Amino acid sequence: MSDTDVLQLRGGAKVDGNIDIKGSKNALPKIMVAAMLTEERCEIENVSWLSDTRTMTELIEASGGTVGRSTAGLSIEVSTLGVPDTTAMREFSGRSRIPVLTCGPALHRTGEAYISSPGGCTIGPRPVDFHLDVLRRLGAETVDVPGGIQLSATRLTGAKIELPFPSVGATEQFLLSACLADGDSELCNAAVEPEILDLITVLQKMGSLINVETNRAITVTGVKRLRGFTHRVIPDRLEAASWASLALATDGEITLDGVRQQDLATYLNTYRRAGGDFEASPDGTTIRFWRSQSMLRPLAVETSVHPGFMTDWQSPFVTALTQADGISVIHETVYEDRTGYVDALKALGANIGLFTECLGGTTCRFARGNHPHSIVVVGPTKLQGTELHVPDLRAGFSYLIAAAAANGVSTITGIDLLDRGYENLRGKMATVGIDFE
Ligand code: EPZ
């Protein structure tokens, strides 16, 4: 563990400052994959230099493309696309979940693709069965090979596909493959997150014919070829909510620049219900967050796919709810195992319990599956600094929030994992007045 991987954080201060929110960590890498669908030059603006950006840069260069950094962001040109090198793909897939999304470009331009066992965070098994089903339905042949799956297709042909769950990744897999397939495709029960709509915007600029239907199905008419594009990535609504939750938990005040209010709508409503408040600029790109009353109110919160309360907003917000006056109930319905950070909150003194039942809302697909996916928080509790180890990206930020709200010093290890999702994290922490070294 490198010495940069450990953070000493002294809690108790009220945060106060401005944070500039840049391009979405979960939109940008998929837009980089879209650039692999054309031999023309693509320009991407509002780029966050995070690990997925670096991994996709290396993958594109290893596949024969070029990626240039400019002041505005990234320029990508994949005039030729080589057949995926399985060893390289295994290495890239060990660092990120994005490489699995390169099947569409690879199949369309080389006739071959390779999926390694998925990487990414430690939040439940990260399967790709929905992705494989999409690719097979569009005509890809698959063969199990050591360490992964080899795919091949002379042509991809449009198909009508239904997802068992509105998976963001599987929807992206569909979009990046169906746009150049022969004929019409339809994806029922698709995800329609803002990051998905941003990818659709890019594909539309490239010449794709894509419709989001009122029943949340996505229909695509395949085209022969796609052009280059210039695109400004939507802001990161996950990072925005993380910093806002920090202000709520510490009774501080944070102003975020570069955001989009409409992408945060459900978060903002929940923020107000908990006793926070916010003020947005006329165009909704600057939002100031603070706590509107001395004691936060307890809530029942259920995570869901868009436009619901996003699963990535859950752990930072639950951390703030440890400071609410009463009992809060949180039901995580997207991931079966995204409550691991609760142990750390308990270590800091939070009064918090996990349940395998679906509490506080509807019965979800994890019911009776023995998954600890419901949380009950009894607040308020005074948190006391302690030793913490970061298990995954979003949980990691909730450790920062908890440590900042706690009395005394916390020693947080595994902090480098946060660099996957938060650019210039230490600089931003210093900006808002968190006392750390
Ligand atoms: C994306 O992950 C995001 N990651 C996640 O953010 C986010 O939490 C998630 O969408 C939900 O919004 C990126 O965009 C890189 P899913 P993804 O496919 O696409 C199951 C972060 O912190 N599933 O919508 O992998 C899966 O296990 C990350 O920034 C299958 O069963 O999420 C999960 O329970 C964390 N089979 C559910 O669907 C599959 O083939 C939702 O997953 C695919 C998914």
Side-chain angles (χ1 to χ4, degrees), residues 53-66:
T53 316
R54 286 192 291 274
T55 301
M56 276 313 299
T57 298
E58 289 175 42
L59 187 154
I60 289 171
E61 289 172 340
S63 311
T66 57

mmCIF file with all atom_site columns, all heavy atoms in Angstrom, residues 53-66:
data_model
loop_
_atom_site.group_PDB
_atom_site.id
_atom_site.type_symbol
_atom_site.label_atom_id
_atom_site.label_alt_id
_atom_site.label_comp_id
_atom_site.label_asym_id
_atom_site.label_entity_id
_atom_site.label_seq_id
_atom_site.pdbx_PDB_ins_code
_atom_site.Cartn_x
_atom_site.Cartn_y
_atom_site.Cartn_z
_atom_site.occupancy
_atom_site.B_iso_or_equiv
_atom_site.pdbx_formal_charge
_atom_site.auth_seq_id
_atom_site.auth_comp_id
_atom_site.auth_asym_id
_atom_site.auth_atom_id
_atom_site.pdbx_PDB_model_num
ATOM 1   N N   . THR A 1 53 ? -10.857 6.678  -17.808 1.00 0.00 ? 53 THR A N   1
ATOM 2   C CA  . THR A 1 53 ? -10.433 7.439  -18.988 1.00 0.00 ? 53 THR A CA  1
ATOM 3   C C   . THR A 1 53 ? -9.073  6.935  -19.454 1.00 0.00 ? 53 THR A C   1
ATOM 4   O O   . THR A 1 53 ? -8.836  6.712  -20.646 1.00 0.00 ? 53 THR A O   1
ATOM 5   C CB  . THR A 1 53 ? -10.326 8.942  -18.636 1.00 0.00 ? 53 THR A CB  1
ATOM 6   O OG1 . THR A 1 53 ? -11.449 9.338  -17.866 1.00 0.00 ? 53 THR A OG1 1
ATOM 7   C CG2 . THR A 1 53 ? -10.204 9.801  -19.878 1.00 0.00 ? 53 THR A CG2 1
ATOM 8   N N   . ARG A 1 54 ? -8.193  6.716  -18.471 1.00 0.00 ? 54 ARG A N   1
ATOM 9   C CA  . ARG A 1 54 ? -6.835  6.241  -18.817 1.00 0.00 ? 54 ARG A CA  1
ATOM 10  C C   . ARG A 1 54 ? -6.903  4.826  -19.399 1.00 0.00 ? 54 ARG A C   1
ATOM 11  O O   . ARG A 1 54 ? -6.261  4.533  -20.410 1.00 0.00 ? 54 ARG A O   1
ATOM 12  C CB  . ARG A 1 54 ? -5.951  6.264  -17.569 1.00 0.00 ? 54 ARG A CB  1
ATOM 13  C CG  . ARG A 1 54 ? -5.519  7.671  -17.145 1.00 0.00 ? 54 ARG A CG  1
ATOM 14  C CD  . ARG A 1 54 ? -4.414  7.623  -16.096 1.00 0.00 ? 54 ARG A CD  1
ATOM 15  N NE  . ARG A 1 54 ? -4.916  7.116  -14.814 1.00 0.00 ? 54 ARG A NE  1
ATOM 16  C CZ  . ARG A 1 54 ? -5.496  7.903  -13.889 1.00 0.00 ? 54 ARG A CZ  1
ATOM 17  N NH1 . ARG A 1 54 ? -5.688  9.194  -14.146 1.00 0.00 ? 54 ARG A NH1 1
ATOM 18  N NH2 . ARG A 1 54 ? -5.923  7.407  -12.752 1.00 0.00 ? 54 ARG A NH2 1
ATOM 19  N N   . THR A 1 55 ? -7.733  3.968  -18.793 1.00 0.00 ? 55 THR A N   1
ATOM 20  C CA  . THR A 1 55 ? -7.828  2.588  -19.284 1.00 0.00 ? 55 THR A CA  1
ATOM 21  C C   . THR A 1 55 ? -8.353  2.564  -20.711 1.00 0.00 ? 55 THR A C   1
ATOM 22  O O   . THR A 1 55 ? -7.801  1.891  -21.585 1.00 0.00 ? 55 THR A O   1
ATOM 23  C CB  . THR A 1 55 ? -8.766  1.756  -18.374 1.00 0.00 ? 55 THR A CB  1
ATOM 24  O OG1 . THR A 1 55 ? -8.248  1.776  -17.053 1.00 0.00 ? 55 THR A OG1 1
ATOM 25  C CG2 . THR A 1 55 ? -8.879  0.321  -18.874 1.00 0.00 ? 55 THR A CG2 1
ATOM 26  N N   . MET A 1 56 ? -9.380  3.367  -20.990 1.00 0.00 ? 56 MET A N   1
ATOM 27  C CA  . MET A 1 56 ? -9.947  3.404  -22.345 1.00 0.00 ? 56 MET A CA  1
ATOM 28  C C   . MET A 1 56 ? -8.958  4.012  -23.332 1.00 0.00 ? 56 MET A C   1
ATOM 29  O O   . MET A 1 56 ? -8.875  3.598  -24.486 1.00 0.00 ? 56 MET A O   1
ATOM 30  C CB  . MET A 1 56 ? -11.267 4.179  -22.361 1.00 0.00 ? 56 MET A CB  1
ATOM 31  C CG  . MET A 1 56 ? -12.469 3.356  -21.979 1.00 0.00 ? 56 MET A CG  1
ATOM 32  S SD  . MET A 1 56 ? -12.519 1.757  -22.817 1.00 0.00 ? 56 MET A SD  1
ATOM 33  C CE  . MET A 1 56 ? -12.593 2.297  -24.513 1.00 0.00 ? 56 MET A CE  1
ATOM 34  N N   . THR A 1 57 ? -8.172  4.978  -22.876 1.00 0.00 ? 57 THR A N   1
ATOM 35  C CA  . THR A 1 57 ? -7.135  5.561  -23.752 1.00 0.00 ? 57 THR A CA  1
ATOM 36  C C   . THR A 1 57 ? -6.142  4.483  -24.152 1.00 0.00 ? 57 THR A C   1
ATOM 37  O O   . THR A 1 57 ? -5.842  4.296  -25.339 1.00 0.00 ? 57 THR A O   1
ATOM 38  C CB  . THR A 1 57 ? -6.426  6.720  -23.025 1.00 0.00 ? 57 THR A CB  1
ATOM 39  O OG1 . THR A 1 57 ? -7.378  7.753  -22.740 1.00 0.00 ? 57 THR A OG1 1
ATOM 40  C CG2 . THR A 1 57 ? -5.281  7.281  -23.858 1.00 0.00 ? 57 THR A CG2 1
ATOM 41  N N   . GLU A 1 58 ? -5.683  3.730  -23.162 1.00 0.00 ? 58 GLU A N   1
ATOM 42  C CA  . GLU A 1 58 ? -4.713  2.662  -23.457 1.00 0.00 ? 58 GLU A CA  1
ATOM 43  C C   . GLU A 1 58 ? -5.333  1.582  -24.348 1.00 0.00 ? 58 GLU A C   1
ATOM 44  O O   . GLU A 1 58 ? -4.697  1.090  -25.273 1.00 0.00 ? 58 GLU A O   1
ATOM 45  C CB  . GLU A 1 58 ? -4.232  2.030  -22.146 1.00 0.00 ? 58 GLU A CB  1
ATOM 46  C CG  . GLU A 1 58 ? -3.322  2.927  -21.311 1.00 0.00 ? 58 GLU A CG  1
ATOM 47  C CD  . GLU A 1 58 ? -2.991  2.271  -19.970 1.00 0.00 ? 58 GLU A CD  1
ATOM 48  O OE1 . GLU A 1 58 ? -2.724  1.042  -19.967 1.00 0.00 ? 58 GLU A OE1 1
ATOM 49  O OE2 . GLU A 1 58 ? -3.026  2.975  -18.943 1.00 0.00 ? 58 GLU A OE2 1
ATOM 50  N N   . LEU A 1 59 ? -6.599  1.258  -24.105 1.00 0.00 ? 59 LEU A N   1
ATOM 51  C CA  . LEU A 1 59 ? -7.253  0.213  -24.903 1.00 0.00 ? 59 LEU A CA  1
ATOM 52  C C   . LEU A 1 59 ? -7.375  0.656  -26.355 1.00 0.00 ? 59 LEU A C   1
ATOM 53  O O   . LEU A 1 59 ? -7.073  -0.097 -27.287 1.00 0.00 ? 59 LEU A O   1
ATOM 54  C CB  . LEU A 1 59 ? -8.634  -0.098 -24.311 1.00 0.00 ? 59 LEU A CB  1
ATOM 55  C CG  . LEU A 1 59 ? -9.391  -1.289 -24.910 1.00 0.00 ? 59 LEU A CG  1
ATOM 56  C CD1 . LEU A 1 59 ? -10.362 -1.882 -23.888 1.00 0.00 ? 59 LEU A CD1 1
ATOM 57  C CD2 . LEU A 1 59 ? -10.165 -0.925 -26.154 1.00 0.00 ? 59 LEU A CD2 1
ATOM 58  N N   . ILE A 1 60 ? -7.794  1.900  -26.569 1.00 0.00 ? 60 ILE A N   1
ATOM 59  C CA  . ILE A 1 60 ? -7.951  2.416  -27.940 1.00 0.00 ? 60 ILE A CA  1
ATOM 60  C C   . ILE A 1 60 ? -6.601  2.451  -28.649 1.00 0.00 ? 60 ILE A C   1
ATOM 61  O O   . ILE A 1 60 ? -6.468  2.027  -29.805 1.00 0.00 ? 60 ILE A O   1
ATOM 62  C CB  . ILE A 1 60 ? -8.608  3.814  -27.914 1.00 0.00 ? 60 ILE A CB  1
ATOM 63  C CG1 . ILE A 1 60 ? -10.079 3.699  -27.514 1.00 0.00 ? 60 ILE A CG1 1
ATOM 64  C CG2 . ILE A 1 60 ? -8.463  4.516  -29.268 1.00 0.00 ? 60 ILE A CG2 1
ATOM 65  C CD1 . ILE A 1 60 ? -10.773 5.017  -27.246 1.00 0.00 ? 60 ILE A CD1 1
ATOM 66  N N   . GLU A 1 61 ? -5.556  2.875  -27.928 1.00 0.00 ? 61 GLU A N   1
ATOM 67  C CA  . GLU A 1 61 ? -4.211  2.918  -28.543 1.00 0.00 ? 61 GLU A CA  1
ATOM 68  C C   . GLU A 1 61 ? -3.722  1.496  -28.832 1.00 0.00 ? 61 GLU A C   1
ATOM 69  O O   . GLU A 1 61 ? -3.143  1.229  -29.885 1.00 0.00 ? 61 GLU A O   1
ATOM 70  C CB  . GLU A 1 61 ? -3.255  3.675  -27.627 1.00 0.00 ? 61 GLU A CB  1
ATOM 71  C CG  . GLU A 1 61 ? -3.566  5.181  -27.589 1.00 0.00 ? 61 GLU A CG  1
ATOM 72  C CD  . GLU A 1 61 ? -2.758  5.950  -26.553 1.00 0.00 ? 61 GLU A CD  1
ATOM 73  O OE1 . GLU A 1 61 ? -2.231  5.312  -25.599 1.00 0.00 ? 61 GLU A OE1 1
ATOM 74  O OE2 . GLU A 1 61 ? -2.662  7.192  -26.682 1.00 0.00 ? 61 GLU A OE2 1
ATOM 75  N N   . ALA A 1 62 ? -4.037  0.556  -27.928 1.00 0.00 ? 62 ALA A N   1
ATOM 76  C CA  . ALA A 1 62 ? -3.595  -0.835 -28.160 1.00 0.00 ? 62 ALA A CA  1
ATOM 77  C C   . ALA A 1 62 ? -4.352  -1.458 -29.336 1.00 0.00 ? 62 ALA A C   1
ATOM 78  O O   . ALA A 1 62 ? -3.903  -2.435 -29.933 1.00 0.00 ? 62 ALA A O   1
ATOM 79  C CB  . ALA A 1 62 ? -3.833  -1.666 -26.900 1.00 0.00 ? 62 ALA A CB  1
ATOM 80  N N   . SER A 1 63 ? -5.514  -0.867 -29.665 1.00 0.00 ? 63 SER A N   1
ATOM 81  C CA  . SER A 1 63 ? -6.329  -1.426 -30.767 1.00 0.00 ? 63 SER A CA  1
ATOM 82  C C   . SER A 1 63 ? -6.016  -0.745 -32.096 1.00 0.00 ? 63 SER A C   1
ATOM 83  O O   . SER A 1 63 ? -6.690  -1.000 -33.096 1.00 0.00 ? 63 SER A O   1
ATOM 84  C CB  . SER A 1 63 ? -7.821  -1.243 -30.438 1.00 0.00 ? 63 SER A CB  1
ATOM 85  O OG  . SER A 1 63 ? -8.089  -1.698 -29.135 1.00 0.00 ? 63 SER A OG  1
ATOM 86  N N   . GLY A 1 64 ? -5.028  0.181  -32.086 1.00 0.00 ? 64 GLY A N   1
ATOM 87  C CA  . GLY A 1 64 ? -4.640  0.818  -33.351 1.00 0.00 ? 64 GLY A CA  1
ATOM 88  C C   . GLY A 1 64 ? -5.112  2.246  -33.505 1.00 0.00 ? 64 GLY A C   1
ATOM 89  O O   . GLY A 1 64 ? -4.853  2.902  -34.507 1.00 0.00 ? 64 GLY A O   1
ATOM 90  N N   . GLY A 1 65 ? -5.825  2.763  -32.485 1.00 0.00 ? 65 GLY A N   1
ATOM 91  C CA  . GLY A 1 65 ? -6.317  4.143  -32.583 1.00 0.00 ? 65 GLY A CA  1
ATOM 92  C C   . GLY A 1 65 ? -5.340  5.125  -31.957 1.00 0.00 ? 65 GLY A C   1
ATOM 93  O O   . GLY A 1 65 ? -4.326  4.719  -31.388 1.00 0.00 ? 65 GLY A O   1
ATOM 94  N N   . THR A 1 66 ? -5.660  6.415  -32.081 1.00 0.00 ? 66 THR A N   1
ATOM 95  C CA  . THR A 1 66 ? -4.851  7.446  -31.421 1.00 0.00 ? 66 THR A CA  1
ATOM 96  C C   . THR A 1 66 ? -5.768  8.278  -30.523 1.00 0.00 ? 66 THR A C   1
ATOM 97  O O   . THR A 1 66 ? -6.925  8.547  -30.878 1.00 0.00 ? 66 THR A O   1
ATOM 98  C CB  . THR A 1 66 ? -4.201  8.403  -32.460 1.00 0.00 ? 66 THR A CB  1
ATOM 99  O OG1 . THR A 1 66 ? -5.253  8.976  -33.236 1.00 0.00 ? 66 THR A OG1 1
ATOM 100 C CG2 . THR A 1 66 ? -3.233  7.668  -33.361 1.00 0.00 ? 66 THR A CG2 1
#
